[in-house]
Amino acid sequence: MNNKFDIVIIGSGSGLMIMESALANGLRCALIEKSKFGGTCLTKGCIPSKMLVYPADIIREAQKSDRVGIEFCKPTIDWQKISARMWEQINYSIILEKNLKKNENLQVFNGTAEFTDRYTARVKLNDGGYSPEIQSKMFVIAAGARSLVPQIKNIEKTGYITSETFFGDDFPKKPWDSLIIVGGGAVSAEFAHIFSAFGTKVTIIEARPYIISTEEEEIRAFAEAEFKNNSIDVLPNSNIIDSKKSGTKKKLYVENTITNEITTVEADEILIASGIRPNSDTLHLENTDVKTDEKGWILTNEYLETTQSNVYALGDINGKYQFRHKANYEAEILIHNLFSNDTKKAAYYNAVPWAIFTHPQVAHVGITETQAKNLGKKYWVGKNYYSQIAGGVAMGITESSTDNGFVKIIVGEEKTILGAHIIGPHASILVQPFVYLMNANHKCHKQDIRKRNEISYPPLGSYMPINDSMIIHPSLNELTAWAISNINWAN
Protein backbone atom coordinates (compact mmCIF):
# COMPACT_ATOMS: atom_id res chain seq x y z
CA MET A 1 0.00 0.00 0.00
CA ASN A 2 1.25 3.47 -0.91
CA ASN A 3 1.15 5.39 2.36
CA LYS A 4 1.68 8.87 0.88
CA PHE A 5 -1.40 10.96 0.18
CA ASP A 6 -2.08 14.40 -1.28
CA ILE A 7 -4.54 15.11 1.52
CA VAL A 8 -5.64 13.34 4.72
CA ILE A 9 -9.10 14.12 6.11
CA ILE A 10 -9.92 13.21 9.70
CA GLY A 11 -13.67 12.91 10.21
CA SER A 12 -16.50 12.09 7.83
CA GLY A 13 -19.03 14.78 8.67
CA SER A 14 -18.31 18.07 6.92
CA GLY A 15 -14.95 16.53 6.07
CA LEU A 16 -16.71 14.59 3.31
CA MET A 17 -17.30 17.84 1.44
CA ILE A 18 -13.55 18.48 1.38
CA MET A 19 -12.93 14.89 0.31
CA GLU A 20 -15.36 15.11 -2.61
CA SER A 21 -13.71 18.27 -3.93
CA ALA A 22 -10.23 16.81 -3.47
CA LEU A 23 -11.19 13.70 -5.44
CA ALA A 24 -12.79 15.86 -8.14
CA ASN A 25 -9.46 17.65 -8.46
CA GLY A 26 -7.60 14.37 -8.94
CA LEU A 27 -5.97 14.20 -5.51
CA ARG A 28 -5.17 10.95 -3.74
CA CYS A 29 -7.03 11.04 -0.44
CA ALA A 30 -7.10 9.27 2.90
CA LEU A 31 -10.24 9.44 5.06
CA ILE A 32 -10.12 8.46 8.72
CA GLU A 33 -13.34 7.83 10.66
CA LYS A 34 -13.63 6.13 14.05
CA SER A 35 -17.42 5.88 14.14
CA LYS A 36 -20.34 5.77 11.73
CA PHE A 37 -19.83 7.65 8.48
CA GLY A 38 -21.65 10.95 8.00
CA GLY A 39 -20.71 12.65 11.24
CA THR A 40 -22.72 13.59 14.29
CA CYS A 41 -25.58 15.20 12.37
CA LEU A 42 -26.44 12.11 10.33
CA THR A 43 -25.78 9.40 12.90
CA LYS A 44 -26.33 10.77 16.40
CA GLY A 45 -27.60 14.33 16.20
CA CYS A 46 -29.79 16.68 14.25
CA ILE A 47 -31.22 14.30 11.62
CA PRO A 48 -32.22 11.25 13.73
CA SER A 49 -33.48 13.50 16.50
CA LYS A 50 -35.88 15.19 14.06
CA MET A 51 -37.37 11.78 13.28
CA LEU A 52 -38.48 11.89 16.93
CA VAL A 53 -39.22 15.61 17.19
CA TYR A 54 -41.83 15.67 14.42
CA PRO A 55 -44.07 12.97 15.96
CA ALA A 56 -43.77 14.82 19.28
CA ASP A 57 -44.81 18.05 17.53
CA ILE A 58 -47.92 16.33 16.16
CA ILE A 59 -48.87 15.10 19.63
CA ARG A 60 -48.57 18.60 21.09
CA GLU A 61 -50.62 20.09 18.26
CA ALA A 62 -53.32 17.44 18.73
CA GLN A 63 -53.51 18.26 22.44
CA LYS A 64 -54.44 21.86 21.58
CA SER A 65 -56.64 21.15 18.57
CA ASP A 66 -59.87 21.64 20.53
CA ARG A 67 -59.30 25.38 20.47
CA VAL A 68 -60.00 25.39 16.73
CA GLY A 69 -62.96 23.02 16.99
CA ILE A 70 -61.20 19.69 16.38
CA GLU A 71 -60.95 16.99 19.02
CA PHE A 72 -58.77 13.89 18.83
CA CYS A 73 -58.67 10.78 20.96
CA LYS A 74 -55.46 10.22 22.89
CA PRO A 75 -52.88 9.33 20.20
CA THR A 76 -51.54 5.81 19.93
CA ILE A 77 -47.76 5.82 19.73
CA ASP A 78 -46.21 3.23 17.43
CA TRP A 79 -42.70 3.39 18.90
CA GLN A 80 -41.46 0.63 16.61
CA LYS A 81 -42.48 2.55 13.49
CA ILE A 82 -41.08 5.81 14.83
CA SER A 83 -37.82 4.05 15.69
CA ALA A 84 -37.61 2.34 12.30
CA ARG A 85 -37.85 5.68 10.49
CA MET A 86 -35.05 7.02 12.69
CA TRP A 87 -32.78 4.01 12.15
CA GLU A 88 -33.35 4.23 8.42
CA GLN A 89 -31.72 7.66 8.48
CA ILE A 90 -28.85 6.57 10.72
CA ASN A 91 -28.18 3.44 8.68
CA TYR A 92 -27.64 5.49 5.55
CA SER A 93 -24.12 5.70 6.97
CA ILE A 94 -23.64 2.03 6.03
CA ILE A 95 -24.42 2.72 2.36
CA LEU A 96 -22.23 5.80 2.52
CA GLU A 97 -19.26 3.84 3.85
CA LYS A 98 -19.63 1.10 1.23
CA ASN A 99 -19.74 3.63 -1.60
CA LEU A 100 -16.69 5.48 -0.28
CA LYS A 101 -14.64 2.31 -0.19
CA LYS A 102 -15.30 1.73 -3.88
CA ASN A 103 -13.34 4.82 -4.90
CA GLU A 104 -9.90 3.84 -6.21
CA ASN A 105 -8.34 7.19 -5.35
CA LEU A 106 -9.55 7.08 -1.74
CA GLN A 107 -8.16 5.02 1.13
CA VAL A 108 -10.63 4.67 4.01
CA PHE A 109 -9.42 3.89 7.54
CA ASN A 110 -11.84 2.80 10.28
CA GLY A 111 -10.29 4.05 13.47
CA THR A 112 -8.85 6.97 15.41
CA ALA A 113 -6.19 9.21 13.87
CA GLU A 114 -3.03 9.79 15.91
CA PHE A 115 -0.30 12.16 14.76
CA THR A 116 3.21 10.75 15.14
CA ASP A 117 4.93 13.75 13.57
CA ARG A 118 3.98 17.07 12.00
CA TYR A 119 2.86 15.53 8.71
CA THR A 120 2.70 11.85 9.68
CA ALA A 121 -0.08 9.92 11.37
CA ARG A 122 -1.21 6.42 12.12
CA VAL A 123 -4.65 4.99 12.73
CA LYS A 124 -5.64 3.10 15.85
CA LEU A 125 -7.87 0.62 14.08
CA ASN A 126 -11.30 -0.22 15.45
CA ASP A 127 -10.66 -3.94 14.97
CA GLY A 128 -7.35 -3.81 16.83
CA GLY A 129 -3.78 -2.77 16.19
CA TYR A 130 -2.46 0.16 14.18
CA SER A 131 -2.22 1.00 10.52
CA PRO A 132 1.16 1.69 8.94
CA GLU A 133 2.12 5.35 9.21
CA ILE A 134 0.63 7.60 6.54
CA GLN A 135 2.11 10.83 5.27
CA SER A 136 0.72 13.93 3.63
CA LYS A 137 1.62 17.56 3.15
CA MET A 138 -1.98 18.52 3.91
CA PHE A 139 -4.31 17.51 6.75
CA VAL A 140 -7.91 18.58 7.34
CA ILE A 141 -9.11 17.95 10.90
CA ALA A 142 -12.88 17.58 11.17
CA ALA A 143 -12.89 15.14 14.07
CA GLY A 144 -15.79 16.78 15.92
CA ALA A 145 -16.66 16.65 19.61
CA ARG A 146 -18.37 14.37 22.12
CA SER A 147 -20.57 14.68 25.16
CA LEU A 148 -18.99 16.21 28.23
CA VAL A 149 -19.79 14.10 31.28
CA PRO A 150 -19.53 16.20 34.47
CA GLN A 151 -17.97 14.85 37.63
CA ILE A 152 -20.88 13.38 39.57
CA LYS A 153 -20.23 11.12 42.53
CA ASN A 154 -20.91 7.42 41.74
CA ILE A 155 -22.32 8.27 38.30
CA GLU A 156 -20.42 5.46 36.57
CA LYS A 157 -21.89 2.93 39.00
CA THR A 158 -25.33 4.44 38.70
CA GLY A 159 -25.24 4.46 34.92
CA TYR A 160 -26.30 7.05 32.37
CA ILE A 161 -26.67 7.65 28.66
CA THR A 162 -25.53 10.40 26.30
CA SER A 163 -26.83 11.47 22.91
CA GLU A 164 -24.16 9.23 21.34
CA THR A 165 -25.22 6.10 23.20
CA PHE A 166 -28.92 6.95 22.87
CA PHE A 167 -28.60 6.75 19.08
CA GLY A 168 -26.78 3.45 19.56
CA ASP A 169 -26.87 0.58 22.03
CA ASP A 170 -28.87 2.51 24.65
CA PHE A 171 -31.84 3.34 22.44
CA PRO A 172 -34.94 2.33 24.45
CA LYS A 173 -37.33 -0.38 23.29
CA LYS A 174 -40.14 1.89 24.42
CA PRO A 175 -40.34 5.40 25.91
CA TRP A 176 -39.22 5.44 29.53
CA ASP A 177 -41.77 6.10 32.23
CA SER A 178 -39.43 8.71 33.70
CA LEU A 179 -36.25 10.48 32.59
CA ILE A 180 -33.78 12.83 34.24
CA ILE A 181 -31.86 15.17 31.90
CA VAL A 182 -28.69 16.74 33.28
CA GLY A 183 -28.17 20.08 31.56
CA GLY A 184 -30.55 22.69 30.20
CA GLY A 185 -29.20 23.49 26.74
CA ALA A 186 -30.48 22.77 23.24
CA VAL A 187 -30.02 18.98 23.38
CA SER A 188 -31.79 18.85 26.73
CA ALA A 189 -34.69 20.97 25.48
CA GLU A 190 -35.23 18.77 22.43
CA PHE A 191 -35.12 15.49 24.36
CA ALA A 192 -37.42 16.94 27.03
CA HIS A 193 -39.95 17.82 24.34
CA ILE A 194 -39.68 14.43 22.63
CA PHE A 195 -40.16 12.25 25.68
CA SER A 196 -42.65 14.41 27.56
CA ALA A 197 -44.87 14.31 24.47
CA PHE A 198 -44.56 10.52 24.40
CA GLY A 199 -45.75 10.36 28.02
CA THR A 200 -42.46 10.22 29.91
CA LYS A 201 -42.15 12.17 33.17
CA VAL A 202 -39.16 14.44 32.47
CA THR A 203 -37.04 16.36 34.97
CA ILE A 204 -34.34 18.82 33.84
CA ILE A 205 -31.51 19.59 36.26
CA GLU A 206 -29.59 22.76 35.37
CA ALA A 207 -26.70 24.38 37.26
CA ARG A 208 -27.48 27.86 35.90
CA PRO A 209 -30.44 29.97 37.02
CA TYR A 210 -32.23 29.24 33.74
CA ILE A 211 -32.40 26.85 30.78
CA ILE A 212 -31.32 27.51 27.13
CA SER A 213 -28.88 30.15 28.33
CA THR A 214 -27.90 31.23 24.79
CA GLU A 215 -31.34 32.74 24.23
CA GLU A 216 -32.93 36.11 24.85
CA GLU A 217 -33.96 36.47 28.50
CA GLU A 218 -37.70 36.77 27.75
CA ILE A 219 -37.56 33.70 25.51
CA ARG A 220 -35.78 31.64 28.16
CA ALA A 221 -38.50 32.48 30.66
CA PHE A 222 -41.28 31.78 28.16
CA ALA A 223 -39.82 28.39 27.21
CA GLU A 224 -39.42 27.34 30.84
CA ALA A 225 -43.03 28.31 31.61
CA GLU A 226 -44.27 26.23 28.66
CA PHE A 227 -42.11 23.30 29.76
CA LYS A 228 -43.83 23.39 33.12
CA ASN A 229 -47.23 23.64 31.39
CA ASN A 230 -46.29 20.42 29.60
CA SER A 231 -45.48 18.73 32.95
CA ILE A 232 -41.69 19.00 32.55
CA ASP A 233 -40.03 19.72 35.88
CA VAL A 234 -37.18 22.23 35.69
CA LEU A 235 -34.72 22.46 38.59
CA PRO A 236 -32.42 25.49 38.07
CA ASN A 237 -29.56 26.50 40.36
CA SER A 238 -28.92 22.84 41.03
CA ASN A 239 -25.73 21.03 41.97
CA ILE A 240 -25.73 17.22 41.81
CA ILE A 241 -23.90 15.96 44.88
CA ASP A 242 -24.38 12.19 44.54
CA SER A 243 -26.02 9.44 42.52
CA LYS A 244 -27.23 5.95 43.24
CA LYS A 245 -28.95 3.01 41.60
CA SER A 246 -31.85 1.52 43.55
CA GLY A 247 -33.37 -1.54 41.92
CA THR A 248 -34.43 -0.55 38.41
CA LYS A 249 -34.42 3.14 39.28
CA LYS A 250 -31.61 5.70 39.21
CA LYS A 251 -31.38 8.51 41.75
CA LEU A 252 -29.67 11.89 41.78
CA TYR A 253 -29.23 13.89 44.98
CA VAL A 254 -29.54 17.55 44.10
CA GLU A 255 -28.64 20.61 46.16
CA ASN A 256 -30.22 23.97 45.39
CA THR A 257 -27.34 26.47 45.34
CA ILE A 258 -29.62 29.28 46.55
CA THR A 259 -31.47 27.60 49.42
CA ASN A 260 -29.05 24.71 50.10
CA GLU A 261 -32.08 22.41 50.16
CA ILE A 262 -31.30 18.84 49.08
CA THR A 263 -33.85 16.83 47.09
CA THR A 264 -33.81 13.37 45.55
CA VAL A 265 -34.84 12.90 41.93
CA GLU A 266 -35.59 9.38 40.72
CA ALA A 267 -36.14 8.05 37.20
CA ASP A 268 -35.73 5.08 34.89
CA GLU A 269 -32.83 6.70 33.07
CA ILE A 270 -30.38 9.61 33.26
CA LEU A 271 -29.43 11.49 30.11
CA ILE A 272 -26.27 13.59 30.35
CA ALA A 273 -26.66 16.65 28.12
CA SER A 274 -24.48 19.19 29.87
CA GLY A 275 -22.29 20.24 26.96
CA ILE A 276 -19.58 18.87 24.68
CA ARG A 277 -15.81 18.57 24.61
CA PRO A 278 -13.50 18.45 21.56
CA ASN A 279 -12.01 15.21 20.26
CA SER A 280 -8.60 16.86 19.94
CA ASP A 281 -7.31 14.89 22.93
CA THR A 282 -7.36 11.70 20.84
CA LEU A 283 -5.21 13.13 18.02
CA HIS A 284 -1.83 13.37 19.82
CA LEU A 285 -1.39 16.95 18.70
CA GLU A 286 1.66 17.20 20.95
CA ASN A 287 3.55 15.65 18.05
CA THR A 288 2.63 18.60 15.82
CA ASP A 289 2.69 22.39 15.89
CA VAL A 290 -1.11 22.52 16.04
CA LYS A 291 -2.20 24.50 19.10
CA THR A 292 -5.43 24.39 21.09
CA ASP A 293 -6.97 26.68 23.67
CA GLU A 294 -7.21 25.73 27.35
CA LYS A 295 -10.32 23.62 26.69
CA GLY A 296 -8.84 21.72 23.78
CA TRP A 297 -10.55 23.51 20.88
CA ILE A 298 -8.15 23.76 17.93
CA LEU A 299 -7.11 27.34 17.22
CA THR A 300 -7.80 28.55 13.69
CA ASN A 301 -7.70 31.87 11.86
CA GLU A 302 -10.34 33.25 9.51
CA TYR A 303 -9.13 30.92 6.74
CA LEU A 304 -9.56 27.81 8.93
CA GLU A 305 -5.78 27.49 9.11
CA THR A 306 -4.30 26.07 12.30
CA THR A 307 -0.97 27.12 13.81
CA GLN A 308 0.76 24.56 11.57
CA SER A 309 1.09 25.24 7.87
CA ASN A 310 -1.21 23.19 5.59
CA VAL A 311 -3.19 21.79 8.52
CA TYR A 312 -6.78 23.00 8.71
CA ALA A 313 -9.61 22.50 11.21
CA LEU A 314 -13.33 22.96 10.73
CA GLY A 315 -16.61 22.04 12.36
CA ASP A 316 -17.13 21.41 16.06
CA ILE A 317 -13.45 20.88 16.81
CA ASN A 318 -12.44 24.51 16.24
CA GLY A 319 -14.87 25.68 18.91
CA LYS A 320 -16.63 28.28 16.76
CA TYR A 321 -20.28 27.23 17.18
CA GLN A 322 -21.29 23.57 17.09
CA PHE A 323 -23.79 23.42 14.22
CA ARG A 324 -23.74 21.37 11.04
CA HIS A 325 -24.75 24.40 8.97
CA LYS A 326 -21.75 26.27 10.37
CA ALA A 327 -19.47 23.33 9.56
CA ASN A 328 -20.85 23.15 6.02
CA TYR A 329 -20.24 26.88 5.61
CA GLU A 330 -16.63 26.43 6.72
CA ALA A 331 -16.21 23.49 4.34
CA GLU A 332 -17.33 25.66 1.43
CA ILE A 333 -14.83 28.34 2.44
CA LEU A 334 -12.02 25.80 2.67
CA ILE A 335 -12.94 24.16 -0.65
CA HIS A 336 -12.70 27.54 -2.33
CA ASN A 337 -9.35 28.33 -0.77
CA LEU A 338 -7.77 24.92 -1.43
CA PHE A 339 -9.05 24.18 -4.92
CA SER A 340 -9.67 27.56 -6.53
CA ASN A 341 -7.29 30.11 -7.99
CA ASP A 342 -9.54 32.97 -6.89
CA THR A 343 -8.79 35.29 -3.99
CA LYS A 344 -8.91 33.54 -0.62
CA LYS A 345 -12.16 33.77 1.28
CA ALA A 346 -12.40 34.29 5.02
CA ALA A 347 -14.98 32.75 7.32
CA TYR A 348 -17.05 35.16 9.39
CA TYR A 349 -19.59 34.44 12.08
CA ASN A 350 -21.61 37.64 12.31
CA ALA A 351 -24.90 35.99 11.35
CA VAL A 352 -24.88 32.44 12.69
CA PRO A 353 -28.48 31.19 13.05
CA TRP A 354 -29.55 29.05 16.01
CA ALA A 355 -32.62 26.84 16.26
CA ILE A 356 -33.85 24.61 19.07
CA PHE A 357 -36.47 22.13 17.92
CA THR A 358 -38.31 21.95 21.20
CA HIS A 359 -41.89 22.97 21.95
CA PRO A 360 -42.38 25.83 21.49
CA GLN A 361 -39.70 26.08 18.81
CA VAL A 362 -36.93 28.63 19.45
CA ALA A 363 -34.65 30.40 16.98
CA HIS A 364 -32.42 33.43 16.84
CA VAL A 365 -29.68 35.22 14.95
CA GLY A 366 -27.49 38.03 16.22
CA ILE A 367 -27.19 39.47 19.70
CA THR A 368 -29.62 39.70 22.61
CA GLU A 369 -30.83 42.94 24.12
CA THR A 370 -28.55 42.40 27.13
CA GLN A 371 -25.57 41.94 24.83
CA ALA A 372 -26.47 45.09 22.89
CA LYS A 373 -26.67 46.99 26.16
CA ASN A 374 -23.35 45.61 27.43
CA LEU A 375 -21.68 46.49 24.14
CA GLY A 376 -22.85 50.09 24.53
CA LYS A 377 -24.83 49.99 21.30
CA LYS A 378 -27.65 52.38 20.58
CA TYR A 379 -30.63 50.15 19.84
CA TRP A 380 -34.40 49.91 19.57
CA VAL A 381 -36.73 46.95 20.11
CA GLY A 382 -39.85 45.80 18.30
CA LYS A 383 -42.08 42.86 19.30
CA ASN A 384 -45.04 41.09 17.80
CA TYR A 385 -47.12 38.20 19.15
CA TYR A 386 -48.70 35.31 17.27
CA SER A 387 -52.09 36.39 18.63
CA GLN A 388 -51.71 39.73 16.83
CA ILE A 389 -51.65 38.26 13.31
CA ALA A 390 -54.32 36.38 11.37
CA GLY A 391 -52.06 33.36 10.91
CA GLY A 392 -51.69 32.97 14.66
CA VAL A 393 -55.39 33.54 15.31
CA ALA A 394 -56.20 30.85 12.72
CA MET A 395 -54.06 28.45 14.76
CA GLY A 396 -56.23 29.20 17.79
CA ILE A 397 -53.64 31.33 19.57
CA THR A 398 -55.15 34.14 21.60
CA GLU A 399 -53.73 36.85 23.81
CA SER A 400 -54.38 34.67 26.87
CA SER A 401 -52.89 31.47 25.41
CA THR A 402 -49.91 30.23 27.39
CA ASP A 403 -48.17 29.43 24.09
CA ASN A 404 -48.71 32.90 22.61
CA GLY A 405 -45.15 33.21 21.34
CA PHE A 406 -43.51 36.24 19.85
CA VAL A 407 -40.72 37.73 17.79
CA LYS A 408 -38.35 40.29 19.23
CA ILE A 409 -36.34 42.40 16.79
CA ILE A 410 -33.37 44.47 17.95
CA VAL A 411 -32.26 47.18 15.53
CA GLY A 412 -29.36 49.58 15.65
CA GLU A 413 -28.43 52.82 13.99
CA GLU A 414 -28.94 53.16 10.24
CA LYS A 415 -31.81 50.68 10.62
CA THR A 416 -29.41 47.73 10.87
CA ILE A 417 -30.59 44.45 12.34
CA LEU A 418 -28.66 43.53 15.48
CA GLY A 419 -30.71 40.50 16.48
CA ALA A 420 -33.90 38.60 15.78
CA HIS A 421 -35.35 36.23 18.40
CA ILE A 422 -38.43 34.06 17.95
CA ILE A 423 -40.33 31.54 20.05
CA GLY A 424 -43.34 29.76 18.63
CA PRO A 425 -44.46 27.68 15.62
CA HIS A 426 -41.99 27.55 12.70
CA ALA A 427 -39.46 29.81 14.44
CA SER A 428 -36.56 28.19 12.55
CA ILE A 429 -38.15 29.16 9.22
CA LEU A 430 -39.18 32.65 10.26
CA VAL A 431 -35.70 33.64 11.44
CA GLN A 432 -33.94 32.73 8.17
CA PRO A 433 -34.70 35.96 6.21
CA PHE A 434 -32.97 37.95 8.94
CA VAL A 435 -29.85 35.82 8.45
CA TYR A 436 -29.77 36.84 4.78
CA LEU A 437 -30.22 40.53 5.60
CA MET A 438 -27.58 40.56 8.35
CA ASN A 439 -25.15 38.72 6.12
CA ALA A 440 -25.69 41.28 3.36
CA ASN A 441 -24.43 44.01 5.67
CA HIS A 442 -21.39 41.91 6.47
CA LYS A 443 -20.54 41.29 2.81
CA CYS A 444 -20.85 44.98 2.04
CA HIS A 445 -18.56 45.94 4.89
CA LYS A 446 -15.89 43.32 4.23
CA GLN A 447 -15.68 44.18 0.55
CA ASP A 448 -15.15 47.80 1.57
CA ILE A 449 -17.99 49.15 -0.53
CA ARG A 450 -18.27 52.82 0.40
CA LYS A 451 -21.53 54.61 0.92
CA ARG A 452 -21.96 57.45 -1.58
CA ASN A 453 -24.40 60.34 -1.66
CA GLU A 454 -25.90 59.25 -4.98
CA ILE A 455 -26.81 55.78 -3.70
CA SER A 456 -30.58 55.63 -3.29
CA TYR A 457 -31.01 52.15 -1.81
CA PRO A 458 -31.08 51.49 1.95
CA PRO A 459 -27.96 50.30 3.78
CA LEU A 460 -27.28 46.60 3.36
CA GLY A 461 -28.14 44.69 6.51
CA SER A 462 -31.07 47.00 7.03
CA TYR A 463 -34.62 45.87 7.77
CA MET A 464 -35.86 48.31 5.09
CA PRO A 465 -36.28 45.63 2.37
CA ILE A 466 -38.82 43.97 4.69
CA ASN A 467 -40.45 47.30 5.51
CA ASP A 468 -40.82 48.16 1.82
CA SER A 469 -42.07 44.73 0.70
CA MET A 470 -45.49 43.17 0.36
CA ILE A 471 -46.11 40.51 2.98
CA ILE A 472 -48.26 37.48 2.12
CA HIS A 473 -51.53 37.74 4.01
CA PRO A 474 -52.56 35.92 6.05
CA SER A 475 -49.29 34.14 6.80
CA LEU A 476 -46.89 33.82 9.70
CA ASN A 477 -44.50 36.10 7.82
CA GLU A 478 -46.57 38.94 9.21
CA LEU A 479 -45.31 38.02 12.68
CA THR A 480 -41.75 39.08 11.87
CA ALA A 481 -42.48 41.81 9.33
CA TRP A 482 -44.96 43.67 11.49
CA ALA A 483 -42.64 43.57 14.51
CA ILE A 484 -40.72 46.32 12.75
CA SER A 485 -43.83 48.51 12.85
CA ASN A 486 -43.93 47.95 16.60
CA ILE A 487 -40.44 49.32 17.27
CA ASN A 488 -40.58 51.80 20.11
CA TRP A 489 -38.48 54.64 18.73
CA ALA A 490 -39.13 56.75 21.81
CA ASN A 491 -36.87 54.55 23.97
Side-chain angles (χ1 to χ4, degrees):
M1 180 177 67
N2 182 357
N3 295 326
K4 291 186 177 180
F5 297 90
D6 298 313
I7 183 171
V8 174
I9 298 152
I10 304 172
S12 69
S14 57
L16 287 183
M17 297 172 65
I18 310 297
M19 180 212 69
E20 289 173 352
S21 294
L23 290 172
N25 281 272
L27 301 187
R28 185 166 186 266
C29 306
L31 175 66
I32 305 171
E33 174 56 64
K34 68 176 181 178
S35 188
K36 294 178 180 178
F37 284 69
T40 296
C41 188
L42 174 63
T43 64
K44 51 194 173 188
C46 43
I47 293 176
S49 67
K50 300 311 164 289
M51 299 298 109
L52 306 177
V53 165
Y54 184 65
D57 288 345
I58 293 175
I59 292 171
R60 291 300 184 204
E61 290 302 311
Q63 289 171 344
K64 294 180 180 293
S65 64
D66 61 325
R67 63 188 181 185
V68 296
I70 304 293
E71 292 191 16
F72 293 98
C73 299
K74 184 178 179 180
T76 300
I77 298 170
D78 188 341
W79 185 248
Q80 298 307 311
K81 187 172 184 178
I82 292 171
S83 304
R85 293 181 68 247
M86 183 199 77
W87 285 113
E88 183 180 4
Q89 295 299 313
I90 294 174
N91 290 338
Y92 181 73
S93 63
I94 298 171
I95 300 171
L96 180 61
E97 181 179 355
K98 288 180 179 178
N99 289 337
L100 289 171
K101 290 182 176 179
K102 294 177 183 177
N103 195 303
E104 294 180 356
N105 221 22
L106 173 66
Q107 179 70 46
V108 176
F109 295 89
N110 297 90
T112 303
E114 297 181 357
F115 282 95
T116 57
D117 205 342
R118 294 174 71 245
Y119 296 102
T120 306
R122 65 178 183 175
V123 180
K124 185 177 181 180
L125 300 171
N126 290 342
D127 56 5
Y130 287 88
S131 73
E133 286 190 334
I134 59 177
Q135 295 180 332
S136 179
K137 293 181 179 180
M138 187 184 302
F139 282 81
V140 175
I141 304 174
R146 63 188 187 274
S147 293
L148 173 65
V149 179
Q151 292 185 343
I152 300 173
K153 187 177 179 181
N154 295 318
I155 193 63
E156 297 298 331
K157 292 180 181 179
T158 303
Y160 61 90
I161 65 171
T162 64
S163 59
E164 292 95 338
T165 64
F166 173 83
F167 293 113
D169 294 339
D170 291 332
F171 189 80
K173 294 181 179 179
K174 64 181 184 67
W176 298 289
D177 290 333
S178 53
L179 174 67
I180 300 169
I181 304 178
V182 178
V187 174
S188 169
E190 290 191 11
F191 273 97
H193 165 44
I194 290 166
F195 280 99
S196 65
F198 291 150
T200 302
K201 178 56 184 175
V202 176
T203 303
I204 296 174
I205 299 175
E206 171 56 54
R208 296 183 181 91
Y210 35 73
I211 59 172
I212 54 174
S213 61
T214 56
E215 301 305 317
E216 176 72 32
E217 183 176 346
E218 294 169 79
I219 284 179
R220 294 197 305 252
F222 189 99
E224 183 171 332
E226 270 303 279
F227 277 21
K228 292 177 180 177
N229 289 334
N230 288 324
S231 300
I232 300 170
D233 289 338
V234 179
L235 305 181
N237 301 304
S238 294
N239 178 38
I240 303 170
I241 58 176
D242 202 354
S243 63
K244 179 182 179 182
K245 187 166 185 179
S246 178
T248 61
K249 299 292 184 180
K250 298 178 180 182
K251 296 181 179 181
L252 292 181
Y253 300 90
V254 181
E255 180 181 25
N256 185 292
T257 56
I258 304 298
T259 66
N260 296 323
E261 180 183 358
I262 297 175
T263 57
T264 303
V265 185
E266 182 180 87
D268 294 330
E269 190 54 271
I270 299 169
L271 169 66
I272 302 291
S274 53
I276 62 173
R277 57 176 296 184
N279 286 329
S280 58
D281 60 325
T282 67
L283 299 174
H284 290 269
L285 295 177
E286 67 274 9
N287 296 320
T288 72
D289 293 331
V290 176
K291 303 299 182 186
T292 68
D293 67 10
E294 66 279 0
K295 294 183 178 179
W297 305 107
I298 294 179
L299 300 174
T300 57
N301 62 15
E302 66 269 33
Y303 303 111
L304 292 314
E305 298 166 341
T306 70
T307 50
Q308 180 175 313
S309 177
N310 289 328
V311 177
Y312 306 88
L314 72 158
D316 290 355
I317 204 164
N318 68 17
K320 297 181 176 74
Y321 304 98
Q322 283 75 41
F323 304 125
R324 181 57 185 259
H325 51 267
K326 169 265 188 183
N328 288 349
Y329 164 78
E330 290 179 332
E332 293 288 357
I333 295 289
L334 194 53
I335 288 167
H336 173 88
N337 293 344
L338 294 180
F339 308 118
S340 167
N341 293 323
D342 293 342
T343 304
K344 285 172 67 174
K345 288 184 178 180
Y348 296 100
Y349 306 96
N350 65 298
V352 178
W354 302 53
I356 303 176
F357 294 88
T358 186
H359 193 85
Q361 204 174 97
V362 176
H364 86 260
V365 62
I367 60 176
T368 65
E369 183 175 2
T370 298
Q371 289 170 329
K373 192 176 299 182
N374 292 340
L375 290 168
K377 289 185 176 292
K378 192 173 183 180
Y379 69 91
W380 295 263
V381 172
K383 290 178 70 175
N384 199 20
Y385 288 83
Y386 280 78
S387 64
Q388 294 175 313
I389 61 169
V393 173
M395 298 170 73
I397 300 174
T398 67
E399 187 176 345
S400 61
S401 298
T402 62
D403 62 340
N404 182 19
F406 59 90
V407 58
K408 179 175 181 178
I409 309 295
I410 303 166
V411 300
E413 298 177 283
E414 295 191 8
K415 300 179 173 63
T416 53
I417 302 165
L418 300 179
H421 307 265
I422 307 172
I423 185 165
H426 308 293
S428 62
I429 297 174
L430 294 172
V431 80
Q432 189 65 45
F434 293 97
V435 181
Y436 300 143
L437 291 171
M438 291 179 68
N439 201 44
N441 180 49
H442 167 76
K443 296 295 183 186
C444 179
H445 175 71
K446 295 301 175 184
Q447 292 174 13
D448 201 27
I449 298 175
R450 302 301 185 199
K451 184 177 176 183
R452 293 179 171 84
N453 293 332
E454 67 270 18
I455 294 178
S456 59
Y457 54 79
L460 293 177
S462 164
Y463 63 77
M464 288 303 293
I466 298 177
N467 210 42
D468 295 338
S469 299
M470 291 183 282
I471 312 300
I472 295 174
H473 175 79
S475 75
L476 291 182
N477 294 294
E478 293 172 331
L479 176 74
T480 51
W482 292 356
I484 294 165
S485 302
N486 294 338
I487 293 173
N488 185 353
W489 296 107
N491 293 327

